[in-house]
Amino acid sequence: MKRTVALSGILAVTLALGACADSGPEGGVTGPPQPGGTLRYGLSQAPTCSDPAQSGTNQTLYVTRQIADSLTDQDPATGEIRPWLAQRWEVSPDATTFTFHLRDGVTFGDGTPLTADSVRATFDSIVHTLGGAKAPLATTYLANYTGTDVVGPLTARVRFGTPNAQFLQATSTPQLAILAAATTAKPAEQRCLGDVIGSGPFTYAEYRQGDKVTLTKRAGYNWGSAVFAHQGETYLDGIEFTVVPESGVRTGSLASGQLDAISDALPQDIPQIEAAGGRVATASNPGITFGLQPNVTRGPLRDRAVRAALVSAINRQELVDTVLGPQFRAATSPLAHTTPGYADLAADTGFDLPAAQRILDAAGWFAGADGIRVKDGQRLSFGVLFSQVFAGNQAILELLQQQLWAAGVDLRLELASNADYTVRQNTKDFDTIYYNTTRADGDILRTNFGLDGRNLNARGAMPALDAPLSGQLRTLDTGERNRLIGEAQRLLLAEGLWIPTIELSQAIGVTGAVQDLSFEASARLQFYDTWLSGR
């Protein structure tokens, strides 16, 4: 029998996440919270799916996080893993077995009880029903999953064929939230249309794909996370999410009182929001920064020198100052600074146009008649696939296009709908792809760059990189995991497998009526403690 290490609700990390708000989301009203009222929220993009396991974008997770609970939660201030549906747990020393002891008395929205079999059915459905195409993040969190044993009615033992040290933190994410049997038995497509039942503080009252989502308060809810500020039912009676893609319309609706909160408040929106008595709450996203991920099997980006030159040719601070504003940061690594295991590579990501030009000259790329470099008859030109999941993406890439032109590089912008973007991403039909991925654990590098993950670079084996990406899964020692994650960041940058640009921050505009709006550890909104004053 394997010896186990008892972890009574806490796994410490060495770096505080900083995902708690940077600019006062709590509001300015004093006194006890007042229950009642429906919060009206303006999303910048439509949710892509009502199922937490299949959720990827921030706008989707703002919705799905509210209807489903996870086994654990992560403290946004300290990074500690805290109890939620699981009261306590044990992890085997080789990180292959995780045993969870569940709270008694928890029920799903359809009245059925939470049991160890709920955990088994949830994880089995992710691996065997959804798979990597439908639930890419959840599937990588369950890498080498071999099954869940129902040890007792409220005790579940999750097993892996190989060490999986990141899994405990993964159990705090929405993607691994525990769902009712009525949901896990359904096919993936049906789970995207509002037919999802969790144990969360809200339930779906209406789900109109691409248009509107209405959540209603869950009566009798009394099993909140240890991170939450209060226990019992939510203060809000409900939340109405409406899709409002145009930034100016979102801001105008907030200022006029038609909406209570909005996503993606841009710098130019702030004066209007503040003039109407509102404010902008911000939080820095941990995880992979926004950046370019090159497909190394096609075009000029097969040349490592080209990829290296791009790192130096980008003026990241200009991107922040010109397009975004002071609540954002220039990226200094493949990981954001709020991520456990982050390595500060500012010295290697500084803007140095002459250095970029020297690298390209030495590699045989010389300026053609129009200023764009050419080598062996091939222009230094490539496309970047992107979507508007973040409102600033197009403006950032338009400025980046100008910056790279100065180095003799022609960057072609390829804006795609969310559906087309996903198809081309999954088939690796791109020269480069622009995105970020949020997670409060450095294992997100393995998810996106590992040969057993998404590997969007389409690269072959690279032992120097593969070793730390897989090695960090085999140790529960935080210092050693962070060392390996730091090594992976340096190699990704040195090989030009990730060209970082900016760190994403959430910028949420709210009226003066919104109190105690909270960001969870991955900088997504948690409405459990939120309440409305003056309603």
Side-chain angles (χ1 to χ4, degrees), residues 183-259:
T183 295
T184 56
K186 288 181 169 62
E189 292 75 13
Q190 192 171 348
R191 288 167 60 164
C192 277
L193 301 175
D195 199 2
V196 176
I197 302 169
S199 64
F202 295 93
T203 61
Y204 286 121
E206 180 183 25
Y207 190 94
R208 300 206 310 252
Q209 187 74 26
D211 180 27
K212 183 179 181 181
V213 180
T214 302
L215 306 183
T216 189
K217 175 181 189 169
R218 174 84 191 279
Y221 183 89
N222 194 34
W223 44 85
S225 148
V227 175
F228 293 169
H230 84 283
Q231 292 295 302
E233 298 178 359
T234 64
Y235 297 124
L236 296 172
D237 290 335
I239 308 171
E240 290 180 356
F241 293 96
T242 305
V243 180
V244 187
E246 301 82 6
S247 174
V249 176
R250 287 197 307 277
T251 301
S253 297
L254 186 79
S256 66
Q258 295 173 279
L259 294 174

Side-chain angles (χ1 to χ4, degrees), residues 301-424:
L301 291 170
R302 290 175 292 182
D303 188 341
R304 180 177 178 274
V306 169
R307 304 195 304 266
L310 294 179
V311 175
S312 298
I314 297 173
N315 187 338
R316 295 165 181 81
Q317 194 58 49
E318 184 182 40
L319 297 177
V320 170
D321 294 342
T322 304
V323 178
L324 298 173
Q327 70 267 37
F328 291 83
R329 291 171 59 117
T332 54
S333 173
L335 288 180
H337 77 285
T338 52
T339 316
Y342 158 78
D344 186 351
L345 304 179
D348 301 313
T349 53
F351 172 53
D352 191 339
L353 181 58
Q357 293 168 330
R358 289 193 298 270
I359 292 170
L360 293 172
D361 287 342
W365 293 91
F366 299 110
D370 62 354
I372 297 303
R373 292 172 180 266
V374 180
K375 180 179 181 180
D376 299 331
Q378 181 182 31
R379 281 167 52 86
L380 213 176
S381 176
F382 56 88
V384 54
L385 175 68
F386 73 103
S387 73
Q388 290 284 41
V389 292
F390 171 54
N393 276 355
Q394 180 149 347
I396 289 170
L397 289 174
E398 287 173 350
L399 180 53
L400 184 64
Q401 186 180 49
Q402 297 175 30
Q403 292 179 354
L404 294 184
W405 187 275
V409 178
D410 175 29
L411 179 67
R412 305 187 309 273
L413 306 190
E414 299 176 359
L415 175 62
S417 68
N418 287 339
D420 289 343
Y421 175 92
T422 299
V423 169
R424 291 183 60 184

Side-chain angles (χ1 to χ4, degrees), residues 49-51 53-54 125-126 128-131 134 179 181-196:
C49 181
S50 58
D51 179 9
Q54 300 181 65
S125 74
I126 290 171
H128 303 305
T129 302
L130 302 181
K134 297 293 185 180
L179 301 175
T183 295
T184 56
K186 288 181 169 62
E189 292 75 13
Q190 192 171 348
R191 288 167 60 164
C192 277
L193 301 175
D195 199 2
V196 176

Side-chain angles (χ1 to χ4, degrees), residues 135-143 164 166 443 446-447 452-454:
L137 292 176
T139 303
T140 61
Y141 299 163
L142 290 167
N164 196 0
Q166 61 81 39
D443 179 69
R446 179 190 60 87
T447 296
D452 64 342
R454 302 170 78 187

